[in-house]
Short mmCIF file of all heavy atoms in Angstrom, two decimals:
data_model
loop_
_atom_site.label_atom_id
_atom_site.label_comp_id
_atom_site.label_asym_id
_atom_site.label_seq_id
_atom_site.Cartn_x
_atom_site.Cartn_y
_atom_site.Cartn_z
N MET A 1 0.83 -1.20 0.00
CA MET A 1 0.00 0.00 0.00
C MET A 1 0.87 1.25 0.00
O MET A 1 0.59 2.20 -0.72
CB MET A 1 -0.91 -0.03 1.23
CG MET A 1 -1.88 1.11 1.28
SD MET A 1 -3.04 0.94 -0.09
CE MET A 1 -4.12 2.27 0.24
N GLU A 2 1.93 1.25 0.82
CA GLU A 2 2.82 2.41 0.88
C GLU A 2 3.47 2.66 -0.47
O GLU A 2 3.67 3.80 -0.87
CB GLU A 2 3.90 2.18 1.93
CG GLU A 2 3.34 2.06 3.32
CD GLU A 2 4.33 1.43 4.27
OE1 GLU A 2 5.42 1.02 3.84
OE2 GLU A 2 4.00 1.35 5.46
N TYR A 3 3.81 1.57 -1.18
CA TYR A 3 4.45 1.70 -2.49
C TYR A 3 3.51 2.40 -3.47
O TYR A 3 3.93 3.28 -4.21
CB TYR A 3 4.84 0.32 -3.01
CG TYR A 3 5.40 0.36 -4.41
CD1 TYR A 3 6.67 0.85 -4.64
CD2 TYR A 3 4.65 -0.08 -5.50
CE1 TYR A 3 7.19 0.89 -5.93
CE2 TYR A 3 5.15 -0.04 -6.77
CZ TYR A 3 6.43 0.45 -6.98
OH TYR A 3 6.93 0.50 -8.25
N TYR A 4 2.24 2.05 -3.46
CA TYR A 4 1.29 2.64 -4.39
C TYR A 4 1.05 4.11 -4.07
O TYR A 4 0.89 4.94 -4.98
CB TYR A 4 -0.02 1.87 -4.38
CG TYR A 4 0.17 0.47 -4.89
CD1 TYR A 4 0.06 -0.61 -4.03
CD2 TYR A 4 0.48 0.23 -6.22
CE1 TYR A 4 0.26 -1.91 -4.49
CE2 TYR A 4 0.67 -1.05 -6.69
CZ TYR A 4 0.56 -2.12 -5.82
OH TYR A 4 0.76 -3.38 -6.28
N ILE A 5 1.05 4.47 -2.80
CA ILE A 5 0.92 5.88 -2.42
C ILE A 5 2.13 6.65 -2.90
O ILE A 5 2.00 7.75 -3.45
CB ILE A 5 0.73 6.01 -0.89
CG1 ILE A 5 -0.62 5.42 -0.48
CG2 ILE A 5 0.85 7.47 -0.45
CD1 ILE A 5 -0.80 5.30 1.02
N PHE A 6 3.33 6.07 -2.72
CA PHE A 6 4.55 6.73 -3.18
C PHE A 6 4.52 6.93 -4.69
O PHE A 6 4.87 8.00 -5.19
CB PHE A 6 5.78 5.91 -2.78
CG PHE A 6 7.04 6.45 -3.39
CD1 PHE A 6 7.63 7.58 -2.87
CD2 PHE A 6 7.61 5.83 -4.48
CE1 PHE A 6 8.79 8.09 -3.44
CE2 PHE A 6 8.75 6.33 -5.06
CZ PHE A 6 9.34 7.46 -4.54
N VAL A 7 4.11 5.91 -5.43
CA VAL A 7 4.06 6.01 -6.89
C VAL A 7 3.07 7.10 -7.31
O VAL A 7 3.36 7.90 -8.20
CB VAL A 7 3.69 4.66 -7.53
CG1 VAL A 7 3.39 4.82 -9.01
CG2 VAL A 7 4.80 3.66 -7.31
N LEU A 8 1.93 7.16 -6.67
CA LEU A 8 0.94 8.19 -6.99
C LEU A 8 1.49 9.58 -6.74
O LEU A 8 1.37 10.46 -7.60
CB LEU A 8 -0.34 7.96 -6.18
CG LEU A 8 -1.48 8.93 -6.44
CD1 LEU A 8 -1.93 8.83 -7.89
CD2 LEU A 8 -2.63 8.64 -5.51
N VAL A 9 2.12 9.79 -5.60
CA VAL A 9 2.71 11.10 -5.29
C VAL A 9 3.82 11.42 -6.28
O VAL A 9 3.91 12.55 -6.78
CB VAL A 9 3.24 11.12 -3.84
CG1 VAL A 9 4.06 12.37 -3.57
CG2 VAL A 9 2.08 11.04 -2.86
N ALA A 10 4.66 10.45 -6.61
CA ALA A 10 5.75 10.67 -7.55
C ALA A 10 5.22 11.04 -8.93
O ALA A 10 5.76 11.94 -9.60
CB ALA A 10 6.63 9.43 -7.65
N LEU A 11 4.16 10.39 -9.37
CA LEU A 11 3.59 10.71 -10.67
C LEU A 11 2.98 12.12 -10.69
O LEU A 11 3.11 12.84 -11.67
CB LEU A 11 2.54 9.67 -11.06
CG LEU A 11 3.09 8.30 -11.42
CD1 LEU A 11 1.95 7.32 -11.66
CD2 LEU A 11 3.97 8.39 -12.65
N ILE A 12 2.33 12.51 -9.61
CA ILE A 12 1.74 13.85 -9.53
C ILE A 12 2.85 14.90 -9.57
O ILE A 12 2.76 15.88 -10.32
CB ILE A 12 0.87 14.00 -8.27
CG1 ILE A 12 -0.38 13.13 -8.40
CG2 ILE A 12 0.49 15.46 -8.04
CD1 ILE A 12 -1.19 13.01 -7.13
N VAL A 13 3.90 14.70 -8.78
CA VAL A 13 5.02 15.65 -8.78
C VAL A 13 5.68 15.69 -10.15
O VAL A 13 5.99 16.77 -10.66
CB VAL A 13 6.03 15.27 -7.67
CG1 VAL A 13 7.30 16.09 -7.80
CG2 VAL A 13 5.41 15.47 -6.30
N ALA A 14 5.90 14.54 -10.76
CA ALA A 14 6.52 14.50 -12.08
C ALA A 14 5.65 15.23 -13.10
O ALA A 14 6.16 15.97 -13.95
CB ALA A 14 6.74 13.06 -12.51
N PHE A 15 4.34 15.05 -13.04
CA PHE A 15 3.43 15.72 -13.96
C PHE A 15 3.52 17.23 -13.81
O PHE A 15 3.60 17.96 -14.79
CB PHE A 15 2.00 15.24 -13.73
CG PHE A 15 1.00 15.88 -14.65
CD1 PHE A 15 0.93 15.51 -15.97
CD2 PHE A 15 0.13 16.85 -14.17
CE1 PHE A 15 0.00 16.10 -16.82
CE2 PHE A 15 -0.78 17.45 -15.00
CZ PHE A 15 -0.85 17.07 -16.33
N ILE A 16 3.54 17.71 -12.57
CA ILE A 16 3.64 19.16 -12.32
C ILE A 16 4.97 19.70 -12.83
O ILE A 16 5.01 20.75 -13.50
CB ILE A 16 3.45 19.46 -10.82
CG1 ILE A 16 2.01 19.16 -10.41
CG2 ILE A 16 3.81 20.91 -10.50
CD1 ILE A 16 1.78 19.18 -8.91
N VAL A 17 6.05 18.98 -12.57
CA VAL A 17 7.37 19.43 -13.02
C VAL A 17 7.44 19.45 -14.54
O VAL A 17 7.92 20.42 -15.14
CB VAL A 17 8.48 18.53 -12.44
CG1 VAL A 17 9.82 18.80 -13.10
CG2 VAL A 17 8.59 18.74 -10.93
N VAL A 18 6.93 18.42 -15.18
CA VAL A 18 6.97 18.35 -16.65
C VAL A 18 6.15 19.46 -17.27
O VAL A 18 6.53 20.03 -18.29
CB VAL A 18 6.52 16.95 -17.13
CG1 VAL A 18 6.27 16.94 -18.63
CG2 VAL A 18 7.56 15.90 -16.76
N LYS A 19 5.02 19.81 -16.67
CA LYS A 19 4.19 20.89 -17.21
C LYS A 19 4.90 22.24 -17.12
O LYS A 19 4.69 23.11 -17.95
CB LYS A 19 2.85 20.96 -16.49
CG LYS A 19 1.90 19.88 -16.94
CD LYS A 19 0.52 20.11 -16.42
CE LYS A 19 -0.09 21.34 -16.98
NZ LYS A 19 -0.96 21.17 -18.11
N LYS A 20 5.75 22.42 -16.10
CA LYS A 20 6.43 23.69 -15.91
C LYS A 20 7.71 23.79 -16.73
O LYS A 20 8.23 24.87 -16.93
CB LYS A 20 6.74 23.91 -14.43
CG LYS A 20 5.50 24.14 -13.62
CD LYS A 20 5.83 24.57 -12.22
CE LYS A 20 4.59 24.78 -11.40
NZ LYS A 20 3.83 25.95 -11.77
N VAL A 21 8.23 22.67 -17.19
CA VAL A 21 9.48 22.66 -17.95
C VAL A 21 9.15 22.75 -19.44
O VAL A 21 8.28 22.05 -19.92
CB VAL A 21 10.29 21.38 -17.64
CG1 VAL A 21 11.52 21.31 -18.51
CG2 VAL A 21 10.67 21.36 -16.17
N ALA A 22 9.88 23.59 -20.15
CA ALA A 22 9.55 23.83 -21.55
C ALA A 22 10.27 22.90 -22.52
O ALA A 22 9.72 22.54 -23.55
CB ALA A 22 9.86 25.29 -21.91
N SER A 23 11.48 22.51 -22.22
CA SER A 23 12.29 21.76 -23.18
C SER A 23 11.92 20.28 -23.22
O SER A 23 11.75 19.64 -22.19
CB SER A 23 13.76 21.89 -22.82
OG SER A 23 14.53 21.06 -23.64
N CYS A 24 11.83 19.74 -24.42
CA CYS A 24 11.48 18.32 -24.59
C CYS A 24 12.60 17.43 -24.07
O CYS A 24 12.36 16.37 -23.52
CB CYS A 24 11.22 18.04 -26.07
SG CYS A 24 10.63 16.38 -26.39
N MET A 25 13.84 17.87 -24.22
CA MET A 25 14.98 17.07 -23.76
C MET A 25 14.95 16.95 -22.24
O MET A 25 15.19 15.86 -21.71
CB MET A 25 16.29 17.72 -24.22
CG MET A 25 17.50 16.90 -23.90
SD MET A 25 17.41 15.33 -24.75
CE MET A 25 19.09 14.83 -24.67
N ILE A 26 14.66 18.03 -21.55
CA ILE A 26 14.60 17.99 -20.09
C ILE A 26 13.44 17.11 -19.64
O ILE A 26 13.56 16.35 -18.67
CB ILE A 26 14.51 19.41 -19.50
CG1 ILE A 26 15.80 20.17 -19.80
CG2 ILE A 26 14.25 19.37 -18.02
CD1 ILE A 26 15.78 21.62 -19.39
N LYS A 27 12.32 17.16 -20.35
CA LYS A 27 11.19 16.29 -20.03
C LYS A 27 11.59 14.82 -20.14
O LYS A 27 11.23 14.00 -19.30
CB LYS A 27 10.01 16.56 -20.97
CG LYS A 27 9.32 17.87 -20.71
CD LYS A 27 8.18 18.03 -21.70
CE LYS A 27 7.52 19.38 -21.55
NZ LYS A 27 6.43 19.57 -22.50
N SER A 28 12.35 14.49 -21.16
CA SER A 28 12.79 13.11 -21.35
C SER A 28 13.71 12.67 -20.22
O SER A 28 13.61 11.55 -19.73
CB SER A 28 13.53 12.97 -22.69
OG SER A 28 12.66 13.30 -23.74
N VAL A 29 14.62 13.54 -19.80
CA VAL A 29 15.55 13.22 -18.72
C VAL A 29 14.78 13.02 -17.42
O VAL A 29 15.05 12.08 -16.66
CB VAL A 29 16.62 14.31 -18.58
CG1 VAL A 29 17.44 14.12 -17.32
CG2 VAL A 29 17.52 14.33 -19.81
N ILE A 30 13.81 13.89 -17.14
CA ILE A 30 13.01 13.76 -15.92
C ILE A 30 12.23 12.46 -15.93
O ILE A 30 12.19 11.74 -14.94
CB ILE A 30 12.07 14.98 -15.76
CG1 ILE A 30 12.88 16.23 -15.46
CG2 ILE A 30 11.05 14.73 -14.65
CD1 ILE A 30 12.07 17.51 -15.51
N LEU A 31 11.60 12.15 -17.05
CA LEU A 31 10.84 10.90 -17.16
C LEU A 31 11.75 9.69 -16.97
O LEU A 31 11.39 8.75 -16.24
CB LEU A 31 10.14 10.84 -18.52
CG LEU A 31 9.30 9.59 -18.77
CD1 LEU A 31 8.16 9.51 -17.74
CD2 LEU A 31 8.74 9.60 -20.17
N LEU A 32 12.91 9.71 -17.58
CA LEU A 32 13.84 8.60 -17.43
C LEU A 32 14.30 8.46 -15.98
O LEU A 32 14.35 7.34 -15.45
CB LEU A 32 15.05 8.81 -18.35
CG LEU A 32 16.10 7.71 -18.34
CD1 LEU A 32 15.49 6.40 -18.83
CD2 LEU A 32 17.28 8.10 -19.19
N ALA A 33 14.58 9.57 -15.32
CA ALA A 33 15.00 9.53 -13.92
C ALA A 33 13.89 8.97 -13.04
O ALA A 33 14.15 8.19 -12.12
CB ALA A 33 15.41 10.92 -13.45
N MET A 34 12.64 9.35 -13.29
CA MET A 34 11.51 8.84 -12.51
C MET A 34 11.36 7.33 -12.71
O MET A 34 11.12 6.60 -11.75
CB MET A 34 10.21 9.55 -12.91
CG MET A 34 10.15 10.98 -12.45
SD MET A 34 10.19 11.16 -10.67
CE MET A 34 8.73 10.24 -10.23
N VAL A 35 11.48 6.86 -13.94
CA VAL A 35 11.34 5.43 -14.22
C VAL A 35 12.45 4.65 -13.52
O VAL A 35 12.19 3.61 -12.90
CB VAL A 35 11.35 5.18 -15.75
CG1 VAL A 35 11.50 3.69 -16.06
CG2 VAL A 35 10.08 5.73 -16.38
N VAL A 36 13.67 5.15 -13.58
CA VAL A 36 14.80 4.48 -12.93
C VAL A 36 14.59 4.46 -11.41
O VAL A 36 14.81 3.43 -10.76
CB VAL A 36 16.13 5.16 -13.31
CG1 VAL A 36 17.27 4.66 -12.44
CG2 VAL A 36 16.44 4.91 -14.77
N ALA A 37 14.16 5.58 -10.84
CA ALA A 37 13.94 5.66 -9.39
C ALA A 37 12.84 4.70 -8.96
O ALA A 37 12.99 3.98 -7.96
CB ALA A 37 13.60 7.09 -8.98
N LEU A 38 11.74 4.67 -9.68
CA LEU A 38 10.65 3.76 -9.32
C LEU A 38 11.05 2.30 -9.48
O LEU A 38 10.69 1.46 -8.65
CB LEU A 38 9.41 4.07 -10.16
CG LEU A 38 8.72 5.39 -9.84
CD1 LEU A 38 7.59 5.64 -10.83
CD2 LEU A 38 8.20 5.41 -8.43
N ALA A 39 11.82 1.99 -10.52
CA ALA A 39 12.29 0.62 -10.70
C ALA A 39 13.23 0.22 -9.57
O ALA A 39 13.14 -0.90 -9.05
CB ALA A 39 12.99 0.49 -12.06
N ALA A 40 14.12 1.12 -9.16
CA ALA A 40 15.05 0.82 -8.07
C ALA A 40 14.29 0.62 -6.76
O ALA A 40 14.59 -0.31 -6.00
CB ALA A 40 16.07 1.94 -7.94
N ILE A 41 13.32 1.46 -6.49
CA ILE A 41 12.53 1.34 -5.26
C ILE A 41 11.73 0.04 -5.28
O ILE A 41 11.66 -0.67 -4.28
CB ILE A 41 11.62 2.56 -5.06
CG1 ILE A 41 12.49 3.77 -4.73
CG2 ILE A 41 10.59 2.31 -3.97
CD1 ILE A 41 11.74 5.07 -4.77
N TYR A 42 11.15 -0.28 -6.41
CA TYR A 42 10.40 -1.54 -6.54
C TYR A 42 11.33 -2.72 -6.26
O TYR A 42 10.99 -3.63 -5.51
CB TYR A 42 9.80 -1.66 -7.93
CG TYR A 42 9.11 -2.97 -8.17
CD1 TYR A 42 7.83 -3.20 -7.70
CD2 TYR A 42 9.75 -4.00 -8.86
CE1 TYR A 42 7.20 -4.41 -7.90
CE2 TYR A 42 9.14 -5.21 -9.06
CZ TYR A 42 7.86 -5.41 -8.58
OH TYR A 42 7.25 -6.62 -8.78
N TRP A 43 12.52 -2.71 -6.88
CA TRP A 43 13.46 -3.80 -6.73
C TRP A 43 13.90 -3.94 -5.27
O TRP A 43 13.90 -5.03 -4.72
CB TRP A 43 14.66 -3.57 -7.64
CG TRP A 43 15.66 -4.67 -7.55
CD1 TRP A 43 16.81 -4.69 -6.82
CD2 TRP A 43 15.60 -5.95 -8.22
NE1 TRP A 43 17.44 -5.88 -6.97
CE2 TRP A 43 16.75 -6.66 -7.83
CE3 TRP A 43 14.69 -6.52 -9.08
CZ2 TRP A 43 17.00 -7.95 -8.30
CZ3 TRP A 43 14.95 -7.80 -9.55
CH2 TRP A 43 16.07 -8.50 -9.16
N LEU A 44 14.25 -2.83 -4.63
CA LEU A 44 14.74 -2.88 -3.26
C LEU A 44 13.63 -3.21 -2.26
O LEU A 44 13.86 -3.88 -1.26
CB LEU A 44 15.39 -1.54 -2.88
CG LEU A 44 16.68 -1.22 -3.64
CD1 LEU A 44 17.12 0.20 -3.32
CD2 LEU A 44 17.76 -2.22 -3.33
N TYR A 45 12.41 -2.73 -2.52
CA TYR A 45 11.32 -2.90 -1.58
C TYR A 45 10.73 -4.31 -1.63
O TYR A 45 10.44 -4.90 -0.61
CB TYR A 45 10.23 -1.86 -1.88
CG TYR A 45 9.14 -1.81 -0.83
CD1 TYR A 45 9.36 -1.22 0.40
CD2 TYR A 45 7.88 -2.34 -1.09
CE1 TYR A 45 8.36 -1.16 1.36
CE2 TYR A 45 6.88 -2.29 -0.16
CZ TYR A 45 7.12 -1.70 1.08
OH TYR A 45 6.13 -1.65 2.01
N PHE A 46 10.56 -4.84 -2.82
CA PHE A 46 9.87 -6.13 -2.96
C PHE A 46 10.80 -7.33 -3.08
O PHE A 46 10.37 -8.45 -2.93
CB PHE A 46 8.92 -6.10 -4.16
CG PHE A 46 7.70 -5.27 -3.91
CD1 PHE A 46 7.54 -4.06 -4.54
CD2 PHE A 46 6.73 -5.70 -3.03
CE1 PHE A 46 6.41 -3.28 -4.31
CE2 PHE A 46 5.60 -4.93 -2.78
CZ PHE A 46 5.44 -3.73 -3.43
N MET A 47 12.07 -7.10 -3.37
CA MET A 47 12.99 -8.24 -3.56
C MET A 47 13.70 -8.62 -2.27
O MET A 47 14.43 -9.60 -2.24
CB MET A 47 14.01 -7.93 -4.65
CG MET A 47 13.38 -7.73 -5.99
SD MET A 47 12.45 -9.19 -6.50
CE MET A 47 11.48 -8.54 -7.82
N ASN A 48 13.52 -7.87 -1.21
CA ASN A 48 14.19 -8.20 0.06
C ASN A 48 13.24 -8.84 1.03
O ASN A 48 12.12 -8.69 1.11
CB ASN A 48 14.81 -6.94 0.69
CG ASN A 48 16.02 -6.50 -0.09
OD1 ASN A 48 16.70 -7.33 -0.68
ND2 ASN A 48 16.28 -5.23 -0.09
#
């Protein structure tokens, strides 16, 4: 349950940040960083 709340908050924050950023390249970097962070958290949280 905590993981899903974290993902929801992370997606909302990412959406707000992406809307405020103008450059497509920066949007791609932010999206990639979010995906990597969520994958790492998923791996560390559920694989232990």
